[in-house]
Amino acid sequence: IYIRREYAVRIRIINKSWRTANNKAADFMDQGEEGAAEGAEGGEGDAGDKAGEAEKAAIEKGADAGAGAKKSNEEARASGEASNKNSNMKVPTTFNEMFMFNGAVMGFGSSGWMQLILEQFDNMVMNVANSYRLQEECDVLSLVLAKYRGTINLTEFKAVMLASLRSLVPKDWDGDHEVAWGWLWENVERMLKNLL
């Protein structure tokens, strides 16, 4: 009974976080952009007030008022540069995009076998509750990986997978998620090693 309860909790965690990472990632980004826009609007008013206060203080002290204007120009330029950088940058919003981004950052961008596993990974996650179907998905993946020429280090995939999930499910991510996803990958890795 303990084992059934523990596995049911892990499967529930995996399914919920997978839905969040794939379907609702765009919603999280929209909420984040709205919050950032509100913060920027409020920040402009505060920056304007602070700049005005700084100029008044400079005039009162007999300092050069041009220094305050220069400071305001630098702040405006900095905020302009920041907005240009944000408009040119595409933030990964799905698991596959985040996985490829994290893989490149972690130095695994040239590992073609990771892309092969990534193509089959959704099927494995969606069938985590059905051990026979999960075994079939691993069988298919092993056939695909058998064609790959080069070294395959499955623990590298786990590291990139966990980093990507942590990025896409930041509010809910905790130790239970870490254990559940580690458990899933250990099972997949064990099945794949038996077949390769």
Side-chain angles (χ1 to χ4, degrees), residues 18 95-122 124 141 144-164 185 188-189 192 196:
W18 188 246
F95 177 77
N96 288 1
E97 291 173 354
M98 185 63 76
F99 186 91
M100 297 306 292
F101 175 78
N102 283 330
V105 168
M106 296 171 78
F108 305 129
S110 62
S111 300
W113 60 270
M114 283 193 181
Q115 182 64 33
L116 298 174
I117 295 176
L118 190 59
E119 291 170 3
Q120 302 289 326
F121 193 64
D122 182 56
M124 290 187 284
L141 180 57
V144 171
L145 291 176
K147 294 180 181 179
Y148 180 78
R149 298 292 172 223
T151 58
I152 298 173
N153 187 354
L154 295 174
T155 56
E156 291 174 357
F157 186 91
K158 179 182 178 182
V160 178
M161 173 195 71
L162 289 174
S164 301
W185 185 251
V188 169
E189 188 175 4
L192 288 174
L196 291 177

Side-chain angles (χ1 to χ4, degrees), residues 11-23:
I11 290 169
R12 202 172 315 120
I13 288 171
I14 289 169
N15 286 331
K16 182 180 177 194
S17 57
W18 188 246
R19 281 192 309 269
T20 302
N22 284 307
N23 296 332

Side-chain angles (χ1 to χ4, degrees), residues 45-122:
D46 292 343
D49 293 343
K50 288 179 183 175
E53 291 173 12
E55 285 180 349
K56 288 178 187 177
I59 291 171
E60 289 174 5
K61 291 182 181 177
D64 186 17
K70 183 179 177 184
K71 185 176 181 180
S72 296
N73 288 339
E74 289 175 2
E75 289 174 359
R77 187 178 64 109
S79 65
E81 287 176 355
S83 65
N84 287 342
K85 289 179 184 176
N86 289 340
S87 64
N88 293 336
M89 186 171 49
K90 183 179 181 291
V91 178
T93 57
T94 65
F95 177 77
N96 288 1
E97 291 173 354
M98 185 63 76
F99 186 91
M100 297 306 292
F101 175 78
N102 283 330
V105 168
M106 296 171 78
F108 305 129
S110 62
S111 300
W113 60 270
M114 283 193 181
Q115 182 64 33
L116 298 174
I117 295 176
L118 190 59
E119 291 170 3
Q120 302 289 326
F121 193 64
D122 182 56

Side-chain angles (χ1 to χ4, degrees), residues 20-33:
T20 302
N22 284 307
N23 296 332
K24 297 182 182 176
D27 294 340
F28 286 131
M29 294 307 296
D30 290 343
Q31 291 173 357
E33 288 174 6

